Amino acid sequence: MLCSGTGCVAGGSYRIKDALEEEICKHGIQNEVSVVITGCNGFCGQGPLMAVQPDGIFYGWLKQEDIPFLVEEHFLKGRPAKKLIFVPPEKKEPIPLLQNIQFFQKQRLIVLRNKGIIDPERIEEYIARDGYTALEKVLSSMKPEEVIDEILRSGLRGRGGAGFPTGAKWKICRGEKKTPKYIICNCDEGDPGAYMDRSVFETDPHTVIEGMTIAAYAIGARRGYIYARSEYPLAIKRMKTALDQARDYSLLGEKILSSEFSFDIEIREGSGAFVCGEETSLIHSISGKSPEPRQRPPFPAQVGIWDCPTVINNVETLANVPVIITRGAGWFAGLGTQTSKGTKIFSLVGKINNTGLIEVPMGISLREIVFDIGGGIPGNKKFKAVQTGGPSGGCIPAQLMDLPIDYESLAGAGSMMGSGGMIVMDEDTCMVNISKFFTQFTNDESCGKCSTCREGSEALLEVLTRISDGEGREGDLEFLEELGMAIKDASMCGLGTTLPNPVLSTMRYFRDEYEAHIKEKRCPALVCRNLIKYFILPEKCVGCLMCRKNCPVEAIQGELKHIHVIDQVKCSKCGACLEVCPVKISAVVKASGEEARNLKSLDMPIAVVEFKKQMKAQKEV
Amino acid sequence: MQKLTIDELKKIREAARKDIYLRDGEFRGKIIVHTGTCGIAAGARDVVSAFMQELNTSGRRDIIITTTGCAGLCSREPMATVELRDAAPVRYGDLDSEKVRRIFREHVQGGLIVQDVAIGIGSERG
């Protein structure tokens, strides 16, 4: 319905009418779409205006050149042309209060208290928001043992994934007689999909510096290292600026804040090795040795870098320290669960509406994270699982959605907290493919020292690839389980001991998917390329050429108004045809297994009218 | 620089508070563009340029533009928050230079929030 008020006519609504009618005829849909001229709608400032009913969509500020795109998008593909839409004022919702929006409401910001508020490159802003008050308190009124005690009582546990009590680690190091002692901040963050530590560096680097300085005071260290992966250039740049500014303000270096305590920090960069997130490999990397783990005990807190007592803490762990000192251990221990205190930052990614970083109290349920904070799954698809802990973790399925998030409950479900990556998966995710992806990753990143990790991951990958390609055999699943357990038992470091987790956990909850791949040669989620087939249903195809035009490998035959046929040999399974086939026609389907095998193609493209005649004749017979 | 004492740091803190809290300072408006890696990848630097261009054209000296790190809701980047004195801050998302122009003219200068671009108003719950 095109507005023909004076304003819109002056804006060209009649030219738009002509353009609309031309486009509609061109696509042969004149029997389905009619163009009607109406009177003035009232929104003259937004004209030329058009309303599409019964869809209830208004388009505004229309220009002639917008029309072909609009017709193709809205009338052929069935999706309103978003960029041209205009929302009439009375239909607008009032702007919600940020704190009432689910995404923000359920979060509890401790580490991320300054996010989006301060300029990370201006130390004055951090100071203005009570920055460095914790360091003031520590230097003026607390002994090192008292600091350690406070952190112990708070219940803070390592946020890198293993969850070792931070206070205990500091106490062990303090108790060692050998000097010098060192503190290292681990910002290697190798998990795919995890970017919490990067964000803390980019958003609020001083909270880490302050935490690290307090830790150094507690254990008696004079030098610290920040180990950051070189793939984080902006994070490193902002941290460097922050360190320089801290030195300018006597918050780092000799005689901090005119006290007797001196401490400084140097940045060392990683070079693309996932294994360097592991404590002992990290130490070797900094000291110029081969980046491989070593046997523990002794632990780094007793024998660390250059054989000196060293505490290695994750970025998030250190970032919590200033707030625990200012607000007290009791306050911190009041948040979270019995065994897991405080908050945790998660990177909520994957098939989720509100992708981003969230800081939530321990004990919150997965259901709240996915559906309240995350806003649910896009396209209203069915939730399938959440992968926590990255390549060291496992998946949590729908039946465990009410699990409270803490270290013990996640481990009990066959996963782990990990560094905080949370990848949401829906019905279109193939769990076999996911375990193959993570195994490929850890196989790539294995340092090669232990046979179980090096050869074991290779063998796991070989079996998973066969299963995904449709060559799975009887006995494969039992083999995966046995080998997985052996790798867990006999590998020396965390990379090896946790690498079978994705495989074992997906088999625990989604065994039926594995069995479908092996026994029926079917991929239920329609992902594994060798097991899926794209097919054009002859009874639905109108021969519009859309799929043929978009096929990157020219695998589709058929002239205009002839049934299109996909050459299964040429088909690269890219899915472009399924995407471009107009919604009203929906002739392209994706299938796997028995269903795919039963779809029979025409031998060659015949005219649509010819096909319809044949169908009619068959029915009459 | 001379070694600071704790008392001197406390004085610096007081002074710094005036800077960042609008009600005590001399600025009428503050535009915060969120520039973490996610924001930059989505085009935050263009958003900063667009705001600066608008500010220059307007010739005003009572509005400041500043940048912060990631604000958390990465799927709606590039984002910016507009804070006018005596009014609640408004967070905008999915920005491009066109929307930036509208925000500067309608909200920063005109005082009217651009509803269709706004995500929310006020501050996040601490």
Side-chain angles (χ1 to χ4, degrees):
Chain A
M1 298 153 80
L2 269 176
C3 174
S4 67
T6 312
C8 289
V9 170
S13 57
Y14 278 105
R15 284 196 294 280
I16 290 181
K17 170 177 176 288
D18 290 338
L20 260 176
E21 288 177 330
E22 198 189 332
E23 282 299 311
I24 288 170
C25 273
K26 198 160 98 180
H27 288 285
I29 45 175
Q30 60 269 40
N31 291 334
E32 299 167 348
V33 185
S34 59
V35 182
V36 173
I37 294 289
T38 67
C40 177
N41 264 308
F43 308 120
C44 310
Q46 285 76 32
L49 267 184
M50 180 171 107
V52 179
Q53 299 294 2
D55 298 334
I57 306 277
F58 286 77
Y59 290 108
W61 294 284
L62 285 175
K63 297 191 277 299
Q64 225 174 330
E65 49 265 36
D66 291 331
I67 299 304
F69 172 78
L70 196 161
V71 171
E72 208 180 304
E73 283 299 302
H74 193 144
F75 300 120
L76 287 179
K77 293 188 191 164
R79 45 180 195 226
K82 268 210 187 136
K83 65 177 187 186
L84 300 167
I85 287 182
F86 156 67
V87 182
E90 63 263 29
K91 286 199 180 164
K92 284 186 199 165
E93 303 287 331
I95 310 174
L97 281 175
L98 219 56
Q99 60 187 267
N100 287 344
I101 296 177
Q102 291 278 38
F103 180 79
F104 299 107
Q105 193 180 50
K106 297 211 161 190
Q107 294 193 46
R108 198 61 207 273
L109 306 177
I110 296 180
V111 173
L112 295 178
R113 62 197 180 278
N114 289 326
K115 78 166 160 130
I117 301 177
I118 65 164
D119 181 348
E121 303 193 33
R122 293 191 66 230
I123 190 174
E124 295 82 7
E125 299 199 8
Y126 179 73
I127 291 172
R129 291 198 102 227
D130 294 343
Y132 289 106
T133 48
L135 186 58
E136 284 171 16
K137 181 176 174 183
V138 162
L139 290 179
S140 62
S141 63
M142 290 176 85
K143 293 205 201 59
E145 289 76 17
E146 288 171 329
V147 176
I148 293 177
D149 208 51
E150 193 73 4
I151 300 297
L152 253 173
R153 284 191 314 112
S154 74
L156 178 67
R157 291 168 69 169
R159 296 286 192 256
F164 189 80
T166 309
K169 193 186 265 190
W170 291 10
K171 194 166 184 169
I172 293 172
C173 189
R174 176 98 209 150
E176 291 295 310
K177 302 258 186 320
K178 185 164 180 181
T179 59
K181 297 185 185 165
Y182 294 90
I183 172 109
I184 300 182
C185 170
N186 186 346
C187 185
D188 194 55
E189 197 165 56
D191 284 359
Y195 60 105
M196 303 71 58
D197 296 345
R198 163 171 74 68
S199 222
V200 174
F201 271 38
E202 290 176 0
T203 301
D204 194 5
H206 286 284
T207 185
V208 181
I209 298 176
E210 191 178 0
M212 207 165 154
T213 309
I214 293 172
Y217 177 82
I219 64 174
R222 289 191 52 113
R223 292 198 62 76
Y225 291 104
I226 289 180
Y227 188 81
R229 56 184 304 185
S230 56
E231 294 95 325
Y232 283 172
L234 184 62
I236 292 174
K237 171 172 166 286
R238 288 194 177 159
M239 180 52 83
K240 277 201 175 116
T241 305
L243 288 169
D244 288 339
Q245 291 181 349
R247 286 187 202 105
D248 281 344
Y249 275 72
S250 314
L251 293 160
L252 211 57
E254 292 296 314
K255 295 194 186 296
I256 292 178
L257 287 176
S258 304
S259 75
E260 287 310 307
F261 177 61
S262 303
F263 170 69
D264 211 331
I265 299 173
E266 203 182 305
I267 298 183
R268 289 293 179 97
E269 293 182 34
S271 306
F274 175 69
V275 72
C276 285
E278 192 277 324
E279 292 187 323
T280 54
S281 308
L282 193 156
I283 286 176
H284 291 157
S285 170
I286 294 181
S287 52
K289 299 202 182 93
S290 191
E292 289 172 2
R294 62 150 170 81
Q295 194 63 267
R296 289 160 303 147
F299 290 91
Q302 298 163 305
V303 181
I305 193 165
W306 298 304
D307 293 336
C308 296
T310 308
V311 162
I312 298 157
N313 280 140
N314 173 263
V315 170
E316 204 183 324
T317 314
L318 291 171
N320 269 296
V321 169
V323 188
I324 293 176
I325 298 291
T326 41
R327 296 191 67 170
W331 164 80
F332 190 80
L335 292 167
T337 68
Q338 187 71 339
T339 58
S340 311
K341 304 292 179 194
T343 58
K344 178 80 189 77
I345 307 179
F346 291 102
S347 63
L348 194 56
V349 294
K351 308 281 179 79
I352 192 88
N353 276 320
N354 297 335
T355 309
L357 281 184
I358 62 174
E359 187 173 0
V360 290
M362 296 275 198
I364 191 173
S365 73
L366 259 174
R367 189 181 299 281
E368 286 173 272
I369 291 183
V370 174
F371 293 107
D372 295 341
I373 301 178
I377 318 288
N380 268 319
K381 298 246 176 182
K382 201 156 149 270
F383 170 84
K384 192 168 201 179
V386 170
Q387 172 83 11
T388 63
S392 308
C395 63
I396 312 283
Q399 64 258 37
L400 294 178
M401 283 296 266
D402 294 305
L403 198 67
I405 304 269
D406 76 9
Y407 290 99
E408 277 64 41
S409 62
L410 285 173
S415 179
M416 68 186 271
M417 178 82 70
S419 58
M422 202 172 250
I423 305 175
V424 182
M425 301 169 186
D426 68 5
E427 56 190 84
D428 293 336
T429 312
C430 172
M431 301 316 278
V432 177
N433 193 47
I434 285 292
S435 68
K436 187 176 80 164
F437 166 77
F438 280 121
T439 309
Q440 212 154 28
F441 178 82
T442 37
N443 169 257
D444 224 5
E445 296 290 339
S446 165
C447 78
K449 204 166 185 177
C450 310
S451 321
T452 43
C453 177
R454 186 185 71 242
E455 307 293 337
S457 61
E458 200 67 45
L460 282 180
L461 190 57
E462 192 257 340
V463 175
L464 287 169
T465 308
R466 268 198 298 102
I467 295 177
S468 169
D469 284 348
E471 289 160 30
R473 301 192 283 259
E474 196 64 48
D476 273 346
L477 296 184
E478 289 72 21
F479 175 74
L480 286 174
E481 261 158 357
E482 201 182 332
L483 181 57
M485 296 308 293
I487 297 173
K488 281 176 89 70
D489 262 342
S491 300
M492 188 167 67
C493 84
L495 195 158
T497 54
T498 59
L499 93 83
N501 283 356
V503 184
L504 294 174
S505 118
T506 48
M507 279 175 62
R508 176 171 166 180
Y509 297 113
F510 298 98
R511 203 183 179 90
D512 54 312
E513 274 194 51
Y514 281 85
E515 289 183 346
H517 280 71
I518 296 176
K519 297 187 179 145
E520 302 167 55
K521 308 298 178 220
R522 177 175 69 96
C523 176
L526 302 176
V527 170
C528 296
R529 288 205 158 173
N530 280 14
L531 298 179
I532 58 171
K533 182 167 155 178
Y534 284 90
F535 187 81
I536 300 174
L537 298 167
E539 61 271 21
K540 288 205 174 168
C541 180
V542 299
C544 72
L545 293 179
M546 283 303 288
C547 57
R548 186 176 144 164
K549 279 195 265 187
N550 283 283
C551 177
V553 294
E554 296 177 351
I556 303 183
Q557 290 174 288
E559 299 301 316
L560 185 63
K561 308 226 190 198
H562 282 64
I563 310 277
H564 297 333
V565 178
I566 297 175
D567 180 342
Q568 295 296 337
V569 175
K570 283 193 188 165
C571 176
S572 64
K573 318 284 172 75
C574 72
C577 51
L578 178 58
E579 233 178 289
V580 302
C581 181
V583 172
K584 289 190 186 339
I585 299 171
S586 289
V588 183
V589 294
K590 190 164 65 158
S592 182
E594 183 82 30
E595 198 193 325
R597 286 187 282 275
N598 287 342
L599 292 167
K600 292 279 180 275
S601 262
L602 298 177
D603 291 328
M604 47 177 287
I606 58 173
V608 176
V609 287
E610 187 57 45
F611 179 74
K612 287 203 195 311
K613 270 194 217 145
Q614 286 180 6
M615 289 283 103
K616 207 165 160 210
Q618 272 188 10
K619 276 210 191 100
E620 282 159 13
V621 162
Chain B
M1 207 172 181
Q2 283 273 48
K3 286 289 160 196
L4 288 179
T5 61
I6 290 179
D7 284 326
E8 284 165 343
L9 186 65
K10 287 188 163 73
K11 289 202 184 75
I12 292 175
R13 185 171 292 119
E14 274 314 306
R17 281 200 179 116
K18 288 197 166 57
D19 259 347
I20 76 163
Y21 293 125
L22 268 184
R23 74 183 104 91
D24 297 329
E26 46 188 87
F27 290 103
R28 219 207 103 237
K30 188 169 171 181
I31 301 169
I32 304 169
V33 185
H34 303 291
T35 53
T37 299
C38 46
I40 293 172
R45 291 211 209 275
D46 290 339
V47 169
V48 177
S49 309
F51 270 122
M52 291 187 68
Q53 210 173 32
E54 287 294 308
L55 185 60
N56 281 340
T57 316
S58 77
R60 294 181 70 140
R61 326 224 42 198
D62 60 342
I63 310 278
I64 46 171
I65 298 174
T66 172
T67 54
T68 69
C70 170
L73 188 46
C74 309
S75 53
R76 306 293 298 273
E77 295 280 11
M79 291 200 287
T81 300
V82 172
E83 226 180 285
L84 296 181
R85 206 207 283 235
D86 301 329
V90 178
R91 184 161 297 171
Y92 293 101
D94 304 304
L95 296 178
D96 54 37
S97 25
E98 186 57 50
K99 289 180 186 165
V100 165
R101 257 186 286 285
R102 284 180 61 205
I103 291 168
F104 192 85
R105 288 174 200 182
E106 291 171 35
H107 186 182
V108 181
Q109 294 191 294
L112 277 177
I113 300 174
V114 185
Q115 287 211 288
D116 52 304
V117 189
I119 294 177
I121 194 167
S123 48
E124 295 179 39
R125 186 176 163 276

